[in-house]
Amino acid sequence: GESEWNLQKKVQGQNDSPLTSLGRKQAIAAKEKITDKIDIVFSSPSLRAIETANIITSGMNVHVIKADELMEMNSSIWEGRTLDEIESDYPNENKNFWENPDIFTLKNAETFSELQIRAINYILNVLDLYKKKTIVIISHTITIYAILTYFLGHQIKDIWKQPYLKNCSHIIIDETTTGNFKVVFNN
């Protein structure tokens, strides 16, 4: 859900800020979209993700497992800074972040590929352990883009060519009878 730093147009990365009242409403709306019985929830341990997970699972007998692998991209020195500051102080890196994500680098930050490997390795392990279960994964915008890019079979360079992800987007990925995965819904 929307956080305080979202309103301030600050990069959060692995830092944190609480949900706004709108963010809590978005989590409630996300909960209402889930029509299947949830077997288990995996969430980033970030405060904003856990608060979202707790809202979504309220009134359910569902275990929430915190996983560092689902945290947002480590954005290093950008975290806590506004988008305008980043554009002004890091023009080349900012340009690559948005236009050439496959070559984006920033000192002590993750690359998009490193983020994707971290998240996908974890998710594939979860999917292997919990076959035929309904799993909810609660994460963050860039991490979700990296996950979605993988499941759509796209390359990192095309990560931003997907539909815009709003806070508390609802994406459904099903396992096919052949053991592959297919994105069946992406709002």
Side-chain angles (χ1 to χ4, degrees):
E2 179 189 71
S3 72
E4 293 291 336
W5 280 15
N6 289 147
L7 285 180
Q8 297 168 17
K9 299 193 183 321
K10 287 184 177 180
V11 171
Q12 292 179 108
Q14 295 186 353
N15 279 316
D16 227 335
S17 69
L19 292 180
T20 62
S21 60
L22 174 59
R24 288 186 283 283
K25 289 176 187 173
Q26 290 168 331
I28 291 167
K31 177 181 181 164
E32 293 170 357
K33 293 178 189 176
I34 299 171
T35 57
D36 293 335
K37 178 190 171 293
I38 299 171
D39 294 304
I40 193 161
V41 175
F42 293 88
S43 176
S44 160
S46 297
L47 172 67
R48 59 196 190 272
I50 291 299
E51 189 175 357
T52 301
N54 290 338
I55 291 169
I56 288 174
T57 60
S58 65
M60 299 179 190
N61 187 21
V62 177
H63 188 62
V64 176
I65 297 173
K66 297 176 186 176
D68 289 346
E69 294 85 353
L70 299 175
M71 289 184 77
E72 182 59 290
M73 180 182 213
N74 174 349
S75 300
S76 181
I77 54 179
W78 285 6
E79 294 183 16
R81 300 191 71 181
T82 66
L83 299 176
D84 288 341
E85 290 172 334
I86 291 167
E87 187 175 359
S88 172
D89 296 346
Y90 302 91
N92 294 331
E93 293 89 345
N94 187 61
K95 182 178 194 266
N96 282 338
F97 184 88
W98 295 110
E99 296 177 20
N100 305 299
D102 54 323
I103 63 169
F104 166 77
T105 60
L106 180 68
K107 185 178 180 182
N108 298 322
E110 280 182 298
T111 65
F112 284 89
S113 294
E114 289 167 337
L115 166 65
Q116 186 180 58
I117 289 166
R118 167 174 53 91
I120 289 300
N121 284 344
Y122 183 77
I123 288 173
L124 292 177
N125 186 51
V126 164
L127 294 174
D128 189 49
L129 291 172
Y130 295 93
K131 290 191 177 294
K132 301 195 186 293
K133 300 288 183 186
T134 300
I135 302 165
V136 172
I137 295 173
I138 298 174
S139 190
H140 308 278
T141 302
I142 302 170
T143 304
I144 294 169
Y145 270 112
I147 293 165
L148 198 52
T149 297
Y150 173 85
F151 282 111
L152 290 170
H154 298 163
Q155 296 178 351
I156 288 293
K157 69 181 181 68
D158 298 322
I159 198 167
W160 301 124
K161 293 182 181 173
Q162 301 172 65
Y164 176 73
L165 292 175
K166 296 177 184 174
N167 288 325
C168 287
S169 289
H170 185 200
I171 300 164
I172 300 172
I173 301 172
D174 277 341
E175 186 170 8
T176 66
T177 54
T178 59
N180 294 315
F181 297 93
K182 180 179 180 182
V183 177
V184 294
F185 181 78
N186 180 3
N187 74 338

